[in-house]
């Protein structure tokens, strides 16, 4: 599932990073996105069916279920990319020692990466926008997440501003959680 999640992320990111990809590739990227999403949807359904206490499983995995259900809508493609990243990282905590810190670091990196991509995709070609390439989008995502917000770049359309609101709300939480977790490790 991790490999499938990474394939999805690459298929989502490459057309945004380089919007001049030739046509057969854009179709391939779209197919990879759909296949990955279907695989994760099947995984959730199978896990629910196999669970002894189905409602307890549903209550215990709201993020996994929402990640599969919500991004069916095309405008929520960035949410689908972020949710696939979370779902594919489920098994990664076995490799790393600290489960909470693993999820927080992955989430922080994922929010930064995908917010930059999504805002770039939403702002590219919009009159009055100054976020036209992914490097500026990632810069915007970084300064927003770091709560610096220089104001040199900002989204101008409704979709990008919605994404900006979400990232601005989530962004400061990640460094705080990481630092709190590292402090608790040092104390214990």
């Amino acid at each position: 599932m991790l490999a499938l999640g990474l394939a999805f992320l690459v298929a989502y990111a490459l057309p945004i990073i380089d919007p001049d990809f030739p046509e057969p590739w854009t179709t391939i990227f779209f197919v990879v996105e759909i296949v990955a999403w279907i695989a994760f949807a099947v995984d959730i359904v199978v896990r629910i069916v196999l669970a002894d206490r189905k409602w307890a499983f549903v209550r215990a995995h709201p993020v996994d279920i929402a990640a599969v259900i919500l991004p069916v809508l095309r405008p929520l493609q960035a949410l689908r990319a972020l949710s696939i990243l979370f779902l594919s990282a489920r098994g990664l905590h076995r490799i790393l020692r600290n489960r909470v810190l693993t999820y927080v670091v992955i989430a922080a990196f994922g929010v930064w990466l995908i917010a930059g991509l999504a805002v770039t995709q939403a702002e590219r070609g919009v009159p009055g926008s100054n976020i036209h390439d992914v490097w500026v989008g990632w810069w915007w995502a970084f300064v927003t997440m770091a709560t610096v917000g220089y104001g040199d770049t900002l989204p101008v359309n409704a979709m990008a501003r919605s994404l900006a609101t979400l990232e601005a709300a989530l962004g400061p939480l990640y460094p705080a959680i990481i630092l709190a977790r590292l402090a608790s490790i040092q104390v214990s």
Side-chain angles (χ1 to χ4, degrees):
M1 288 305 232
L2 181 60
L4 197 55
L6 291 174
F8 178 93
L9 193 57
V10 168
Y12 171 71
L14 286 179
I16 298 169
I17 293 170
D18 182 6
D20 297 326
F21 262 101
E23 175 46 42
W25 284 105
T26 55
T27 302
I28 290 169
F29 294 149
F30 180 72
V31 168
V32 168
E33 287 181 42
I34 296 301
V35 167
W37 180 79
I38 289 171
F40 281 102
V42 168
D43 177 57
I44 287 294
V45 169
V46 167
R47 290 172 55 208
I48 290 171
V49 168
L50 294 177
D52 292 331
R53 296 177 32 214
K54 291 171 186 10
W55 286 112
F57 179 87
V58 169
R59 282 192 307 272
H61 298 89
V63 174
D64 292 4
I65 293 165
V68 169
I69 294 172
L70 290 177
V72 171
L73 305 172
R74 188 74 179 147
L76 298 177
Q77 186 177 23
L79 178 59
R80 184 169 51 217
L82 187 60
S83 62
I84 295 256
L85 181 68
F86 284 131
L87 291 174
S88 62
R90 270 195 322 245
L92 190 60
H93 74 274
R94 291 184 197 109
I95 298 168
L96 303 171
R97 291 184 57 187
N98 191 314
R99 184 176 179 174
V100 172
L101 197 56
T102 301
Y103 279 118
V104 170
V105 169
I106 289 170
F109 178 77
V111 166
W112 166 77
L113 178 79
I114 293 167
L117 289 167
V119 165
T120 301
Q121 184 180 34
E123 289 286 296
R124 188 175 278 144
V126 172
S129 173
N130 59 359
I131 303 175
H132 298 291
D133 68 54
V134 74
W135 300 106
V136 176
W138 282 330
W139 168 253
W140 168 85
F142 180 78
V143 298
T144 301
M145 197 168 192
T147 68
V148 175
Y150 293 116
D152 57 345
T153 56
L154 60 131
V156 296
N157 75 28
M159 176 57 90
R161 285 186 175 186
S162 299
L163 294 166
T165 302
L166 182 62
E167 197 217 4
L170 293 176
L173 295 175
Y174 296 113
I177 293 169
I178 291 169
L179 291 173
R181 186 63 185 155
L182 290 174
S184 73
I185 291 170
Q186 292 297 322
V187 171
S188 54

